[in-house]
PDB file of all heavy atoms in Angstrom:
ATOM      1  N   ARG E  14      23.011  -3.474   6.536  1.00 97.00           N
ATOM      2  CA  ARG E  14      23.960  -3.980   7.525  1.00 97.00           C
ATOM      3  C   ARG E  14      25.391  -3.579   7.158  1.00 97.00           C
ATOM      4  O   ARG E  14      26.181  -3.170   8.016  1.00 97.00           O
ATOM      5  CB  ARG E  14      23.852  -5.502   7.648  1.00 97.00           C
ATOM      6  CG  ARG E  14      24.958  -6.119   8.499  1.00 97.00           C
ATOM      7  CD  ARG E  14      24.518  -7.343   9.251  1.00 97.00           C
ATOM      8  NE  ARG E  14      23.493  -7.020  10.250  1.00 97.00           N
ATOM      9  CZ  ARG E  14      22.890  -7.913  11.020  1.00 97.00           C
ATOM     10  NH1 ARG E  14      23.215  -9.195  10.935  1.00 97.00           N
ATOM     11  NH2 ARG E  14      21.987  -7.549  11.898  1.00 97.00           N
ATOM     12  N   ARG E  17      25.906   0.085   7.837  1.00 97.00           N
ATOM     13  CA  ARG E  17      25.900   0.322   9.274  1.00 97.00           C
ATOM     14  C   ARG E  17      27.216  -0.096   9.915  1.00 97.00           C
ATOM     15  O   ARG E  17      27.829   0.679  10.667  1.00 97.00           O
ATOM     16  CB  ARG E  17      24.744  -0.432   9.926  1.00 97.00           C
ATOM     17  CG  ARG E  17      24.721  -0.316  11.448  1.00 97.00           C
ATOM     18  CD  ARG E  17      23.471  -0.903  12.034  1.00 97.00           C
ATOM     19  NE  ARG E  17      23.421  -2.361  11.910  1.00 97.00           N
ATOM     20  CZ  ARG E  17      24.100  -3.215  12.700  1.00 97.00           C
ATOM     21  NH1 ARG E  17      24.904  -2.763  13.642  1.00 97.00           N
ATOM     22  NH2 ARG E  17      23.979  -4.522  12.528  1.00 97.00           N
ATOM     23  N   LEU E  24      22.993  -1.457  16.018  1.00 97.00           N
ATOM     24  CA  LEU E  24      21.590  -1.490  15.601  1.00 97.00           C
ATOM     25  C   LEU E  24      20.819  -0.385  16.300  1.00 97.00           C
ATOM     26  O   LEU E  24      20.043   0.347  15.678  1.00 97.00           O
ATOM     27  CB  LEU E  24      20.972  -2.842  15.976  1.00 97.00           C
ATOM     28  CG  LEU E  24      21.234  -4.028  15.053  1.00 97.00           C
ATOM     29  CD1 LEU E  24      20.696  -5.297  15.688  1.00 97.00           C
ATOM     30  CD2 LEU E  24      20.587  -3.815  13.702  1.00 97.00           C
ATOM     31  N   ALA E  36      15.140  -3.967  17.442  1.00 97.00           N
ATOM     32  CA  ALA E  36      14.699  -5.333  17.156  1.00 97.00           C
ATOM     33  C   ALA E  36      14.148  -5.423  15.738  1.00 97.00           C
ATOM     34  O   ALA E  36      14.414  -6.390  15.019  1.00 97.00           O
ATOM     35  CB  ALA E  36      13.648  -5.763  18.157  1.00 97.00           C
ATOM     36  N   SER E  39      16.926  -5.159  13.184  1.00 98.00           N
ATOM     37  CA  SER E  39      17.582  -6.466  13.095  1.00 98.00           C
ATOM     38  C   SER E  39      16.821  -7.366  12.123  1.00 98.00           C
ATOM     39  O   SER E  39      17.410  -8.015  11.248  1.00 98.00           O
ATOM     40  CB  SER E  39      17.641  -7.107  14.477  1.00 98.00           C
ATOM     41  OG  SER E  39      17.963  -8.477  14.372  1.00 98.00           O
ATOM     42  N   LYS E  40      15.505  -7.402  12.265  1.00 98.00           N
ATOM     43  CA  LYS E  40      14.698  -8.227  11.366  1.00 98.00           C
ATOM     44  C   LYS E  40      14.844  -7.779   9.915  1.00 98.00           C
ATOM     45  O   LYS E  40      14.917  -8.599   9.001  1.00 98.00           O
ATOM     46  CB  LYS E  40      13.231  -8.193  11.784  1.00 98.00           C
ATOM     47  CG  LYS E  40      12.944  -9.024  13.016  1.00 98.00           C
ATOM     48  CD  LYS E  40      11.530  -8.803  13.528  1.00 98.00           C
ATOM     49  CE  LYS E  40      11.407  -9.273  14.975  1.00 98.00           C
ATOM     50  NZ  LYS E  40      10.247  -8.693  15.669  1.00 98.00           N
ATOM     51  N   ASN E  43      18.060  -8.919   8.496  1.00 97.00           N
ATOM     52  CA  ASN E  43      18.058 -10.365   8.288  1.00 97.00           C
ATOM     53  C   ASN E  43      16.966 -10.853   7.339  1.00 97.00           C
ATOM     54  O   ASN E  43      16.706 -12.056   7.242  1.00 97.00           O
ATOM     55  CB  ASN E  43      17.931 -11.073   9.638  1.00 97.00           C
ATOM     56  CG  ASN E  43      19.195 -10.911  10.462  1.00 97.00           C
ATOM     57  OD1 ASN E  43      20.277 -11.320  10.055  1.00 97.00           O
ATOM     58  ND2 ASN E  43      19.067 -10.259  11.620  1.00 97.00           N
ATOM     59  N   LYS E  45      13.773 -10.558   7.483  1.00 96.00           N
ATOM     60  CA  LYS E  45      12.549 -11.087   8.070  1.00 96.00           C
ATOM     61  C   LYS E  45      11.419 -10.077   8.047  1.00 96.00           C
ATOM     62  O   LYS E  45      10.279 -10.392   8.394  1.00 96.00           O
ATOM     63  CB  LYS E  45      12.833 -11.550   9.501  1.00 96.00           C
ATOM     64  CG  LYS E  45      13.973 -12.546   9.511  1.00 96.00           C
ATOM     65  CD  LYS E  45      14.147 -13.306  10.784  1.00 96.00           C
ATOM     66  CE  LYS E  45      14.887 -14.602  10.427  1.00 96.00           C
ATOM     67  NZ  LYS E  45      15.879 -15.008  11.420  1.00 96.00           N
TER      68      LYS E  45
ATOM     69  P    DA O   4      26.496  -2.004  29.539  1.00 92.02           P
ATOM     70  OP1  DA O   4      26.909  -0.614  29.824  1.00 92.02           O
ATOM     71  OP2  DA O   4      25.163  -2.509  29.945  1.00 92.02           O
ATOM     72  O5'  DA O   4      26.662  -2.259  27.974  1.00 92.02           O
ATOM     73  C5'  DA O   4      27.958  -2.325  27.381  1.00 92.02           C
ATOM     74  C4'  DA O   4      27.821  -2.985  26.035  1.00 92.02           C
ATOM     75  O4'  DA O   4      27.472  -4.372  26.213  1.00 92.02           O
ATOM     76  C3'  DA O   4      26.718  -2.370  25.167  1.00 92.02           C
ATOM     77  O3'  DA O   4      27.286  -2.099  23.900  1.00 92.02           O
ATOM     78  C2'  DA O   4      25.632  -3.434  25.135  1.00 92.02           C
ATOM     79  C1'  DA O   4      26.429  -4.717  25.326  1.00 92.02           C
ATOM     80  N9   DA O   4      25.711  -5.834  25.936  1.00 92.02           N
ATOM     81  C8   DA O   4      24.923  -5.842  27.056  1.00 92.02           C
ATOM     82  N7   DA O   4      24.428  -7.016  27.368  1.00 92.02           N
ATOM     83  C5   DA O   4      24.928  -7.849  26.380  1.00 92.02           C
ATOM     84  C6   DA O   4      24.777  -9.233  26.137  1.00 92.02           C
ATOM     85  N6   DA O   4      24.047 -10.034  26.901  1.00 92.02           N
ATOM     86  N1   DA O   4      25.408  -9.750  25.061  1.00 92.02           N
ATOM     87  C2   DA O   4      26.145  -8.938  24.299  1.00 92.02           C
ATOM     88  N3   DA O   4      26.372  -7.632  24.420  1.00 92.02           N
ATOM     89  C4   DA O   4      25.719  -7.143  25.489  1.00 92.02           C
ATOM     90  P    DA O   5      26.426  -1.590  22.638  1.00 92.02           P
ATOM     91  OP1  DA O   5      27.323  -0.808  21.776  1.00 92.02           O
ATOM     92  OP2  DA O   5      25.135  -1.043  23.141  1.00 92.02           O
ATOM     93  O5'  DA O   5      26.111  -2.970  21.914  1.00 92.02           O
ATOM     94  C5'  DA O   5      27.167  -3.704  21.289  1.00 92.02           C
ATOM     95  C4'  DA O   5      26.571  -4.840  20.503  1.00 92.02           C
ATOM     96  O4'  DA O   5      25.941  -5.756  21.425  1.00 92.02           O
ATOM     97  C3'  DA O   5      25.472  -4.404  19.523  1.00 92.02           C
ATOM     98  O3'  DA O   5      25.816  -4.938  18.246  1.00 92.02           O
ATOM     99  C2'  DA O   5      24.187  -4.979  20.086  1.00 92.02           C
ATOM    100  C1'  DA O   5      24.686  -6.155  20.922  1.00 92.02           C
ATOM    101  N9   DA O   5      23.861  -6.508  22.065  1.00 92.02           N
ATOM    102  C8   DA O   5      23.367  -5.679  23.036  1.00 92.02           C
ATOM    103  N7   DA O   5      22.666  -6.293  23.970  1.00 92.02           N
ATOM    104  C5   DA O   5      22.703  -7.620  23.579  1.00 92.02           C
ATOM    105  C6   DA O   5      22.147  -8.793  24.137  1.00 92.02           C
ATOM    106  N6   DA O   5      21.425  -8.797  25.259  1.00 92.02           N
ATOM    107  N1   DA O   5      22.366  -9.960  23.502  1.00 92.02           N
ATOM    108  C2   DA O   5      23.106  -9.957  22.372  1.00 92.02           C
ATOM    109  N3   DA O   5      23.688  -8.925  21.752  1.00 92.02           N
ATOM    110  C4   DA O   5      23.431  -7.777  22.421  1.00 92.02           C
ATOM    111  P    DT O   6      24.908  -4.691  16.967  1.00 92.02           P
ATOM    112  OP1  DT O   6      25.783  -4.794  15.791  1.00 92.02           O
ATOM    113  OP2  DT O   6      24.020  -3.512  17.170  1.00 92.02           O
ATOM    114  O5'  DT O   6      23.995  -6.000  17.020  1.00 92.02           O
ATOM    115  C5'  DT O   6      24.627  -7.279  16.928  1.00 92.02           C
ATOM    116  C4'  DT O   6      23.601  -8.354  17.174  1.00 92.02           C
ATOM    117  O4'  DT O   6      23.020  -8.196  18.476  1.00 92.02           O
ATOM    118  C3'  DT O   6      22.429  -8.345  16.199  1.00 92.02           C
ATOM    119  O3'  DT O   6      22.531  -9.551  15.443  1.00 92.02           O
ATOM    120  C2'  DT O   6      21.193  -8.289  17.089  1.00 92.02           C
ATOM    121  C1'  DT O   6      21.734  -8.761  18.428  1.00 92.02           C
ATOM    122  N1   DT O   6      20.993  -8.332  19.647  1.00 92.02           N
ATOM    123  C2   DT O   6      20.388  -9.303  20.426  1.00 92.02           C
ATOM    124  O2   DT O   6      20.418 -10.496  20.180  1.00 92.02           O
ATOM    125  N3   DT O   6      19.732  -8.820  21.526  1.00 92.02           N
ATOM    126  C4   DT O   6      19.621  -7.496  21.918  1.00 92.02           C
ATOM    127  O4   DT O   6      19.012  -7.187  22.949  1.00 92.02           O
ATOM    128  C5   DT O   6      20.275  -6.529  21.064  1.00 92.02           C
ATOM    129  C7   DT O   6      20.218  -5.071  21.398  1.00 92.02           C
ATOM    130  C6   DT O   6      20.918  -6.994  19.978  1.00 92.02           C
ATOM    131  P    DT O   7      21.488  -9.909  14.277  1.00 92.02           P
ATOM    132  OP1  DT O   7      22.212 -10.744  13.295  1.00 92.02           O
ATOM    133  OP2  DT O   7      20.765  -8.688  13.851  1.00 92.02           O
ATOM    134  O5'  DT O   7      20.455 -10.834  15.064  1.00 92.02           O
ATOM    135  C5'  DT O   7      20.911 -12.045  15.635  1.00 92.02           C
ATOM    136  C4'  DT O   7      19.762 -12.713  16.359  1.00 92.02           C
ATOM    137  O4'  DT O   7      19.335 -11.864  17.436  1.00 92.02           O
ATOM    138  C3'  DT O   7      18.517 -12.955  15.496  1.00 92.02           C
ATOM    139  O3'  DT O   7      18.307 -14.369  15.496  1.00 92.02           O
ATOM    140  C2'  DT O   7      17.409 -12.172  16.190  1.00 92.02           C
ATOM    141  C1'  DT O   7      17.941 -12.014  17.598  1.00 92.02           C
ATOM    142  N1   DT O   7      17.504 -10.817  18.389  1.00 92.02           N
ATOM    143  C2   DT O   7      16.855 -11.002  19.591  1.00 92.02           C
ATOM    144  O2   DT O   7      16.579 -12.099  20.045  1.00 92.02           O
ATOM    145  N3   DT O   7      16.525  -9.849  20.259  1.00 92.02           N
ATOM    146  C4   DT O   7      16.788  -8.550  19.854  1.00 92.02           C
ATOM    147  O4   DT O   7      16.463  -7.586  20.556  1.00 92.02           O
ATOM    148  C5   DT O   7      17.457  -8.419  18.588  1.00 92.02           C
ATOM    149  C7   DT O   7      17.780  -7.053  18.051  1.00 92.02           C
ATOM    150  C6   DT O   7      17.779  -9.555  17.913  1.00 92.02           C
ATOM    151  P    DT O   8      17.183 -15.056  14.622  1.00 92.02           P
ATOM    152  OP1  DT O   8      17.682 -16.411  14.327  1.00 92.02           O
ATOM    153  OP2  DT O   8      16.780 -14.140  13.540  1.00 92.02           O
ATOM    154  O5'  DT O   8      15.951 -15.167  15.626  1.00 92.02           O
ATOM    155  C5'  DT O   8      16.107 -15.868  16.843  1.00 92.02           C
ATOM    156  C4'  DT O   8      14.836 -15.718  17.654  1.00 92.02           C
ATOM    157  O4'  DT O   8      14.778 -14.397  18.220  1.00 92.02           O
ATOM    158  C3'  DT O   8      13.546 -15.909  16.867  1.00 92.02           C
ATOM    159  O3'  DT O   8      12.846 -16.994  17.465  1.00 92.02           O
ATOM    160  C2'  DT O   8      12.815 -14.569  16.976  1.00 92.02           C
ATOM    161  C1'  DT O   8      13.431 -13.988  18.247  1.00 92.02           C
ATOM    162  N1   DT O   8      13.466 -12.494  18.352  1.00 92.02           N
ATOM    163  C2   DT O   8      13.026 -11.914  19.514  1.00 92.02           C
ATOM    164  O2   DT O   8      12.588 -12.542  20.463  1.00 92.02           O
ATOM    165  N3   DT O   8      13.112 -10.539  19.547  1.00 92.02           N
ATOM    166  C4   DT O   8      13.579  -9.718  18.546  1.00 92.02           C
ATOM    167  O4   DT O   8      13.610  -8.496  18.707  1.00 92.02           O
ATOM    168  C5   DT O   8      14.022 -10.391  17.348  1.00 92.02           C
ATOM    169  C7   DT O   8      14.541  -9.593  16.202  1.00 92.02           C
ATOM    170  C6   DT O   8      13.944 -11.730  17.312  1.00 92.02           C
ATOM    171  P    DG O   9      11.406 -17.492  16.949  1.00 92.02           P
ATOM    172  OP1  DG O   9      11.316 -18.953  17.166  1.00 92.02           O
ATOM    173  OP2  DG O   9      11.141 -16.912  15.606  1.00 92.02           O
ATOM    174  O5'  DG O   9      10.429 -16.770  17.991  1.00 92.02           O
ATOM    175  C5'  DG O   9      10.603 -17.000  19.388  1.00 92.02           C
ATOM    176  C4'  DG O   9       9.451 -16.357  20.137  1.00 92.02           C
ATOM    177  O4'  DG O   9       9.686 -14.929  20.258  1.00 92.02           O
ATOM    178  C3'  DG O   9       8.082 -16.518  19.476  1.00 92.02           C
ATOM    179  O3'  DG O   9       7.162 -16.925  20.488  1.00 92.02           O
ATOM    180  C2'  DG O   9       7.765 -15.145  18.901  1.00 92.02           C
ATOM    181  C1'  DG O   9       8.546 -14.208  19.828  1.00 92.02           C
ATOM    182  N9   DG O   9       9.049 -12.981  19.204  1.00 92.02           N
ATOM    183  C8   DG O   9       9.719 -12.884  18.008  1.00 92.02           C
ATOM    184  N7   DG O   9      10.082 -11.654  17.728  1.00 92.02           N
ATOM    185  C5   DG O   9       9.618 -10.899  18.804  1.00 92.02           C
ATOM    186  C6   DG O   9       9.719  -9.505  19.058  1.00 92.02           C
ATOM    187  O6   DG O   9      10.246  -8.638  18.370  1.00 92.02           O
ATOM    188  N1   DG O   9       9.106  -9.159  20.255  1.00 92.02           N
ATOM    189  C2   DG O   9       8.491 -10.045  21.108  1.00 92.02           C
ATOM    190  N2   DG O   9       7.963  -9.522  22.208  1.00 92.02           N
ATOM    191  N3   DG O   9       8.397 -11.347  20.881  1.00 92.02           N
ATOM    192  C4   DG O   9       8.980 -11.705  19.709  1.00 92.02           C
ATOM    193  P    DT O  10       5.631 -17.278  20.138  1.00 92.02           P
ATOM    194  OP1  DT O  10       5.215 -18.318  21.093  1.00 92.02           O
ATOM    195  OP2  DT O  10       5.461 -17.448  18.680  1.00 92.02           O
ATOM    196  O5'  DT O  10       4.869 -15.929  20.558  1.00 92.02           O
ATOM    197  C5'  DT O  10       5.272 -15.271  21.750  1.00 92.02           C
ATOM    198  C4'  DT O  10       4.502 -13.972  21.883  1.00 92.02           C
ATOM    199  O4'  DT O  10       5.224 -12.899  21.226  1.00 92.02           O
ATOM    200  C3'  DT O  10       3.105 -14.005  21.283  1.00 92.02           C
ATOM    201  O3'  DT O  10       2.226 -13.586  22.303  1.00 92.02           O
ATOM    202  C2'  DT O  10       3.182 -13.041  20.104  1.00 92.02           C
ATOM    203  C1'  DT O  10       4.287 -12.088  20.556  1.00 92.02           C
ATOM    204  N1   DT O  10       5.076 -11.357  19.513  1.00 92.02           N
ATOM    205  C2   DT O  10       5.341 -10.022  19.714  1.00 92.02           C
ATOM    206  O2   DT O  10       4.953  -9.399  20.684  1.00 92.02           O
ATOM    207  N3   DT O  10       6.086  -9.423  18.729  1.00 92.02           N
ATOM    208  C4   DT O  10       6.579 -10.016  17.586  1.00 92.02           C
ATOM    209  O4   DT O  10       7.243  -9.368  16.779  1.00 92.02           O
ATOM    210  C5   DT O  10       6.263 -11.418  17.429  1.00 92.02           C
ATOM    211  C7   DT O  10       6.747 -12.162  16.220  1.00 92.02           C
ATOM    212  C6   DT O  10       5.540 -12.012  18.391  1.00 92.02           C
ATOM    213  P    DC O  11       0.626 -13.827  22.249  1.00 92.02           P
ATOM    214  OP1  DC O  11       0.242 -14.242  23.615  1.00 92.02           O
ATOM    215  OP2  DC O  11       0.263 -14.639  21.068  1.00 92.02           O
ATOM    216  O5'  DC O  11       0.081 -12.342  22.029  1.00 92.02           O
ATOM    217  C5'  DC O  11       0.608 -11.243  22.799  1.00 92.02           C
ATOM    218  C4'  DC O  11       0.183  -9.948  22.175  1.00 92.02           C
ATOM    219  O4'  DC O  11       1.164  -9.533  21.195  1.00 92.02           O
ATOM    220  C3'  DC O  11      -1.163 -10.025  21.438  1.00 92.02           C
ATOM    221  O3'  DC O  11      -1.895  -8.866  21.750  1.00 92.02           O
ATOM    222  C2'  DC O  11      -0.746 -10.058  19.977  1.00 92.02           C
ATOM    223  C1'  DC O  11       0.490  -9.155  20.021  1.00 92.02           C
ATOM    224  N1   DC O  11       1.415  -9.278  18.857  1.00 92.02           N
ATOM    225  C2   DC O  11       2.199  -8.166  18.508  1.00 92.02           C
ATOM    226  O2   DC O  11       2.103  -7.116  19.160  1.00 92.02           O
ATOM    227  N3   DC O  11       3.043  -8.264  17.451  1.00 92.02           N
ATOM    228  C4   DC O  11       3.120  -9.406  16.767  1.00 92.02           C
ATOM    229  N4   DC O  11       3.969  -9.447  15.736  1.00 92.02           N
ATOM    230  C5   DC O  11       2.330 -10.548  17.092  1.00 92.02           C
ATOM    231  C6   DC O  11       1.505 -10.436  18.147  1.00 92.02           C
TER     232       DC O  11
END
Side-chain angles (χ1 to χ4, degrees):
Chain E
R14 171 148 295 177
R17 176 172 69 78
L24 279 173
S39 166
K40 285 171 198 161
N43 290 300
K45 305 193 157 141

